[in-house]
Amino acid sequence: MNKSVIVPVHNSECWLDECLKSVWEQDFKQTMELSIFNDASKDGSAEIIAKWKVKLEDAGVPVVVGSNDSAQPRGVGFAKNQAIIQSSGTYLCFLDSDDVMMPQRVRLQHEAAIQHPNSIIGCQVRREPPESTARYTRWINNLTEEQLLTQVFTSHGPTVIMPTWFCSREWFYHVGKFDEGGKGVPEDLLFFYKHLQKGGGVLRVNRCLLLYRYHPQAATHSVHEETIWNHRVKFLEDRVLSTWTSFTIWNAGKQGKKLYRSLSPANRKKVTAFCDVDEKKIAKGFYTFEESEERPKPKIPICHFREATPPFIICVKQDLTGGAFETNLSMLNLKEGRDYYHFN
């Protein structure tokens, strides 16, 4: 088998039909298999899987089904790992049970993956319902090739989203499996970070190849914000701040101060200033780190962004100020990934 479509399932009966139909409708069925792991579903998911197993195998697509039959689900990291272990494809195509692939997805991502064996390949998506998470969807679909690697520290998470991932099995095992901690673990983000730490590339096929559903029950919503924040700070410190001797935090408000307080003592010492546009904040002159053990307590200057010295860690949300922030940033003629990184 050349390509395995990897589908973790947990109580997905309302979407599973459409999801599996989209596997059946792939225009490149030769040497493709479907690997499903049913993680303790209590609804009608098993029956839908059985029905599609027959249809797909009639169409020449082998289907491997595994299941956790205990009372408790083991979580999405475990389910994905199991689906991969039981599959045999040289390439892995990740699909969530509530999403729908366009017929060209496997073929086009496979072509890209052959050219880039150590990369995670993503694609553009269409959000359903269309207006949910509009900013996030714009971000996902419009990052440049460079930004796929430079904007990996933002609160949006991986620059290509997991249900669009396509990569080689060999590379997947080189990175190591998904974290199986279960509920509350951002297993996609942790895998993505490990992938980058091992020198993996990130690529996007610039075609909309997935219908990406938003609904409040999604597993994404069970991950604690603070957990993700801590992982992001640690990753930023390892990847960027370890190579910088000094830097400016762009945002003298809540987010900027929170980042400062979250840094290791060694990295806090590298912060030469906060910068901002807000005259009231700038008028204060400095930020005092009240929680500090040091005497006197550290005081960090606050200045206007035009007076500030790069490099910057930017804690301002993008695409939210009607372009005002983006205009200010572009005025400084800086290069992303060298002079600044976004940590919004």
Side-chain angles (χ1 to χ4, degrees), residues 11-47:
N11 292 344
S12 318
E13 67 177 0
C14 12
W15 306 283
L16 196 50
D17 233 354
E18 227 189 315
C19 170
L20 298 183
K21 181 169 180 256
S22 77
V23 175
W24 183 72
E25 288 180 335
Q26 288 304 296
D27 64 17
F28 192 61
K29 286 208 258 298
Q30 305 89 321
T31 68
M32 182 175 93
E33 71 169 5
L34 170 63
S35 177
I36 298 189
F37 189 82
N38 184 359
D39 187 20
S41 294
K42 300 266 187 288
D43 63 357
S45 294
E47 290 71 24

Side-chain angles (χ1 to χ4, degrees), residues 37-326:
F37 189 82
N38 184 359
D39 187 20
S41 294
K42 300 266 187 288
D43 63 357
S45 294
E47 290 71 24
I48 297 169
I49 293 167
K51 176 185 86 178
W52 279 103
K53 180 170 165 69
V54 175
K55 282 190 87 157
L56 281 156
E57 292 190 334
D58 282 348
V61 178
V63 179
V64 191
V65 183
S67 63
N68 160 24
D69 301 323
S70 69
Q72 288 303 311
R74 294 278 304 267
V76 64
F78 175 81
K80 282 188 285 220
N81 287 339
Q82 290 303 123
I84 291 161
I85 290 164
Q86 71 190 18
S87 73
S88 57
T90 317
Y91 292 93
L92 308 172
C93 175
F94 291 88
L95 176 62
D96 274 353
S97 58
D98 50 355
D99 297 331
V100 180
M101 298 194 281
M102 306 303 149
Q104 314 81 1
R105 179 182 172 193
V106 170
R107 174 170 55 88
L108 294 178
Q109 287 190 305
H110 179 242
E111 283 168 12
I114 292 170
Q115 303 295 312
H116 305 273
N118 299 353
S119 289
I120 290 177
I121 316 289
C123 64
Q124 292 174 319
V125 301
R126 188 170 97 233
R127 201 54 152 147
E128 183 67 42
E131 277 318 292
S132 57
T133 68
R135 260 178 77 233
Y136 178 60
T137 308
R138 269 200 299 279
W139 182 78
I140 282 302
N141 286 337
N142 297 305
L143 289 166
T144 66
E145 219 172 304
E146 290 79 32
Q147 286 171 333
L148 292 173
L149 289 170
T150 55
Q151 295 210 6
V152 295
F153 306 103
T154 79
S155 55
H156 284 326
T159 49
V160 289
I161 54 171
M162 195 284 306
T164 70
W165 288 2
F166 194 110
C167 68
S168 81
R169 170 184 302 274
E170 192 182 343
W171 181 256
F172 176 84
Y173 279 120
H174 175 68
V175 175
K177 304 184 303 193
F178 287 107
D179 187 297
E180 296 187 355
K183 206 169 165 62
V185 172
E187 76 290 331
D188 306 348
L189 185 68
L190 297 179
F191 184 90
F192 189 68
Y193 284 173
K194 272 198 302 183
H195 162 78
L196 293 169
Q197 274 156 346
K198 299 207 169 201
V202 184
L203 230 96
R204 190 182 65 225
V205 173
N206 285 323
R207 295 268 302 266
C208 171
L209 300 175
L210 189 80
L211 178 73
Y212 179 46
R213 257 188 245 274
Y214 176 81
H215 49 95
Q217 307 95 285
T220 329
H221 307 303
S222 71
V223 179
H224 197 47
E225 289 292 319
E226 234 16 56
T227 307
I228 291 187
W229 173 275
N230 296 332
H231 286 304
R232 286 170 51 216
V233 172
K234 178 90 182 66
F235 192 58
L236 180 75
E237 292 188 312
D238 293 348
R239 295 270 298 184
V240 176
L241 303 184
S242 62
T243 68
W244 285 359
T245 51
S246 66
F247 64 99
T248 301
I249 294 176
W250 188 318
N251 183 352
K254 223 161 65 189
Q255 290 287 302
K257 291 171 182 168
K258 182 179 178 183
L259 174 61
Y260 174 83
R261 289 195 304 272
S262 305
L263 296 171
S264 69
N267 282 321
R268 257 184 242 138
K269 285 198 164 62
K270 298 178 185 178
V271 179
T272 47
F274 289 91
C275 73
D276 212 295
V277 285
D278 181 341
E279 297 301 341
K280 273 218 278 299
K281 292 190 182 100
I282 297 164
K284 285 207 181 95
F286 50 82
Y287 163 67
T288 309
F289 180 38
E290 295 295 352
E291 295 87 342
S292 178
E293 305 290 297
E294 289 179 53
R295 294 293 175 271
K297 291 173 180 174
K299 287 186 166 183
I300 317 300
I302 299 172
C303 64
H304 193 279
F305 76 88
R306 273 193 298 264
E307 271 69 74
T309 317
F312 298 100
I313 296 298
I314 300 179
C315 297
V316 180
K317 286 183 172 156
Q318 304 176 72
D319 192 15
L320 217 55
T321 51
F325 160 69
E326 285 77 5

